[in-house]
Amino acid sequence: MQRSLALWLALALALAQAAGAQTPLEEAARIAAEPNFLDRPGGAGNDPQTSVAQPDFSARPSANLNTSIQDLLEPYGDPFAARSFLRTRGIAYSFTYVGESFGNVTGGARRGGIAEGRLDFQFDADLDTLMGWRDAAFHTNLYQIHGIGLSRHYVDNFMSVSAIEALPSSRLYELWVEQRFFDGQLGIRVGQLATDTEFAVSQTGTLFLNSTFGWPNIMASVIPSGGPIYPLAVPAVRAKYVLNQSFSLQAGIYDGDPAGPPRRGNDPDPQRRNRTGTNFRTNDPALVIAEAAYAYGLEADDNIEPGTVTLGGWYHFGRFGSLRFDRSGGSLANPSSSGLARRFRGNSGIYGIIDQTIYREPDDPNDGASVFVRLSGSPSDRNLLDLYLDAGIGYKGLLPGRSDDTVGVAFAIERISKNARGFDRDTLLFGGTPAPRRSSEAVLEVSYQAVLGPGVTVQPDFQYVFRPSGGAANPREMDGRRIRNAAVFGLRATIRY
């Protein structure tokens, strides 16, 4: 395992080196021709880009990707000029393939390695150009997912090692129509939507491979079926109002369970209960989420580097059970308990994000460093997790002659809720058998994305997982020992057309 991972890393570095560094004249010409990063189409989640270290490519559903291997293929990149013809009719499409290999070299539930991949087909139409429907747009994307996930089979942790990890399937993701009003300031989007394409997104965090740096894992753990996030979307309505370049407000109402509640006789895994993404459920208690974002430092004469402050919250109208107490107020761990958990009406959470550019290189203002901090909390009496924090730093163009490459370090930690920890204590008290008590899970990630050309990247990655599953007992061990800290090495390759 270690030898194969070393070979993967050596290959990645060799490919990056083969891409070649630019001469000083080429570098000066590139800098002169490059538009300011603040003028690019948008940051993650379609907000103004304020993170200078946002990578050129991300597997996140929320990322805005603007490069394609078509530019390398020159005339062969558009056979029979079909793509150009469709673009004149308002139609655009793309294919993105993400392939990766990860290995758990020590700790976790067991050691081992995996290979997995995802093909993403996206289709967009400007309905005004196509059929005269003014200020309207259509979007859909489909996934073909294959391979097995490292977290599910080897590490057994909450915060999945890879953001593309999912059960093998071919499935529909989003499918929507958006109508804009008031010169584009207000957009109403209707159809099958996901929350992680626009809400709770850090621009700098899109570099990292672990799933929690996209959609915070605390929200995935407490919302039924993980919520409407990759790879599951739901029928929904979203409204976004952009007052000006600096301020936006968005809110959405979503079906609150992408797969429906598990019942006797059906599969407990939500991805198997909604195998193709076409359940289109509308009868579950709703999930409402709202978010306000303020961007600053967008003008050349501002005395502060660009940044974004985001505040948001969500509320789920379903019923949720206590993790510690039964309906009579006694402990669920008590052998005499009814086993019926106390029920609560509704669930909620709040979050805040800061994305801040902290340094731009004097000779190349499109290169530099950005940081992000994100904090989220939920009630302790009905959730497995009640507090979450992540933070990280990214630097674009750190190595000489590698202006498009991005390197970063990030850390995330989430706390097991007070009631869940209390249940562990009760289990020890009533059972008498020594067992570990859960406390928190954390992950440290170091990643380097090398851009080999338009639409082509390789990304070596290292993650260290502290207390997988919060420090729970390893189900593969008979002596009740905790799942050990895990060291994970990986390599991702992407190509976009």
Side-chain angles (χ1 to χ4, degrees):
M1 173 60 65
Q2 288 91 334
R3 182 177 298 176
S4 63
L5 290 170
L7 289 173
W8 271 110
L9 183 58
L11 175 61
L13 295 176
L15 288 171
Q17 186 176 8
Q22 294 177 317
T23 67
L25 287 177
E26 291 172 332
E27 185 80 358
R30 177 193 61 78
I31 294 172
E34 248 182 9
N36 191 301
F37 84 95
L38 293 174
D39 298 327
R40 293 175 185 172
N46 269 318
D47 286 321
Q49 182 169 347
T50 58
S51 169
V52 70
Q54 181 174 328
D56 285 352
F57 181 84
S58 172
R60 309 288 179 194
S62 57
N64 297 312
L65 312 179
N66 303 307
T67 64
S68 169
I69 196 173
Q70 177 181 342
D71 300 335
L72 287 177
L73 302 177
E74 297 179 342
Y76 302 102
D78 188 10
F80 308 106
R83 177 174 262 190
S84 300
F85 172 78
L86 291 174
R87 192 173 290 114
T88 64
R89 300 299 189 271
I91 295 173
Y93 65 90
S94 67
F95 294 90
T96 303
Y97 184 76
V98 183
E100 59 189 23
S101 178
F102 281 100
N104 177 33
V105 300
T106 183
R110 58 174 176 156
R111 291 186 297 171
I114 60 94
E116 61 187 343
R118 187 186 76 193
L119 177 64
D120 177 6
F121 169 69
Q122 296 198 35
F123 178 91
D124 291 275
D126 179 339
L127 298 183
D128 189 357
T129 304
L130 182 64
M131 53 189 296
W133 185 351
R134 186 176 177 182
D135 295 328
F138 172 84
H139 168 86
T140 188
N141 64 317
L142 310 171
Y143 289 138
Q144 203 297 308
I145 306 165
H146 46 276
I148 63 173
L150 193 76
S151 286
R152 179 184 289 260
H153 292 277
Y154 293 98
V155 182
D156 202 9
N157 60 325
F158 294 140
M159 296 181 277
S160 297
V161 166
S162 171
I164 73 165
E165 179 172 330
L167 292 178
S169 63
S170 297
R171 61 170 59 247
L172 173 70
Y173 191 47
E174 289 198 309
L175 175 71
W176 49 257
V177 172
E178 183 172 39
Q179 178 68 60
R180 292 192 172 274
F181 304 92
F182 311 123
D183 295 325
Q185 282 187 299
L186 175 64
I188 306 295
R189 189 173 289 183
V190 180
Q192 174 144 299
L193 307 177
T195 54
D196 60 344
T197 59
E198 295 184 289
F199 292 90
V201 177
S202 161
Q203 295 183 19
T204 309
T206 58
L207 167 69
F208 301 97
L209 305 193
N210 191 288
S211 64
T212 198
F213 297 116
W215 180 257
N217 185 66
I218 184 174
M219 295 153 81
S221 294
V222 304
I223 299 175
S225 299
I229 62 172
Y230 171 83
L232 301 171
V234 297
V237 178
R238 187 277 281 152
K240 183 169 186 176
Y241 180 69
V242 182
L243 177 64
N244 51 45
Q245 187 181 17
S246 296
F247 182 78
S248 67
L249 178 66
Q250 58 182 347
I253 180 168
Y254 300 77
D255 182 89
D257 193 337
R263 303 188 187 280
R264 183 176 299 178
N266 70 0
D267 199 294
D269 193 302
Q271 293 182 44
R272 291 194 175 99
R273 298 201 306 275
N274 188 354
R275 290 179 178 272
T276 60
T278 55
N279 283 15
F280 303 125
R281 297 183 61 85
T282 59
N283 57 343
D284 302 294
L287 168 68
V288 176
I289 185 168
E291 179 181 286
Y294 174 70
Y296 50 86
L298 302 178
E299 303 297 334
D301 56 353
D302 287 342
N303 294 321
I304 187 172
E305 290 289 359
T308 304
V309 175
T310 304
L311 296 175
W314 59 270
Y315 186 86
H316 195 289
F317 288 86
R319 290 184 175 272
F320 295 80
S322 170
L323 299 182
R324 185 180 187 185
F325 298 110
D326 63 20
R327 294 182 181 179
S328 65
S331 173
L332 288 166
N334 191 330
S336 63
S337 169
S338 66
L340 300 175
R342 179 186 176 187
R343 302 290 284 174
F344 297 95
R345 185 183 298 275
N347 203 349
S348 60
I350 58 174
Y351 62 87
I353 311 168
I354 298 176
D355 262 298
Q356 178 66 56
T357 293
I358 58 173
Y359 173 73
R360 282 194 282 171
E361 296 183 357
D363 296 331
D364 189 352
N366 287 331
D367 289 355
S370 297
V371 297
F372 75 95
V373 178
R374 185 169 46 178
L375 179 67
S376 180
S378 289
S380 180
D381 56 4
R382 67 203 72 182
N383 294 306
L384 174 63
L385 305 169
D386 62 4
L387 188 63
Y388 173 92
L389 173 69
D390 64 12
I393 182 169
Y395 198 116
K396 189 170 183 289
L398 178 64
L399 299 183
R402 303 296 307 170
S403 179
D404 294 328
D405 295 357
T406 311
V407 61
V409 180
F411 179 80
I413 185 169
E414 54 189 12
R415 184 177 68 185
I416 302 295
S417 69
K418 180 180 178 180
N419 268 19
R421 286 179 278 131
F423 176 79
D424 290 349
R425 290 193 298 270
D426 295 345
T427 301
L428 289 173
L429 176 65
F430 288 106
T433 303
R437 289 185 294 176
R438 296 168 294 174
S439 58
S440 64
E441 179 179 294
V443 62
L444 173 69
E445 180 173 356
V446 181
S447 202
Y448 184 92
Q449 183 182 100
V451 179
L452 306 187
V456 184
T457 67
V458 293
Q459 188 164 351
D461 189 78
F462 170 75
Q463 298 179 38
Y464 194 82
V465 182
F466 303 85
R467 299 176 299 280
S469 291
N474 191 338
R476 299 178 180 274
E477 301 278 355
M478 300 303 295
D479 57 5
R481 287 187 297 178
R482 297 178 187 269
I483 304 173
R484 292 184 298 148
N485 295 350
V488 174
F489 291 87
L491 179 69
R492 170 179 289 178
T494 64
I495 184 168
R496 180 173 186 264
Y497 172 76

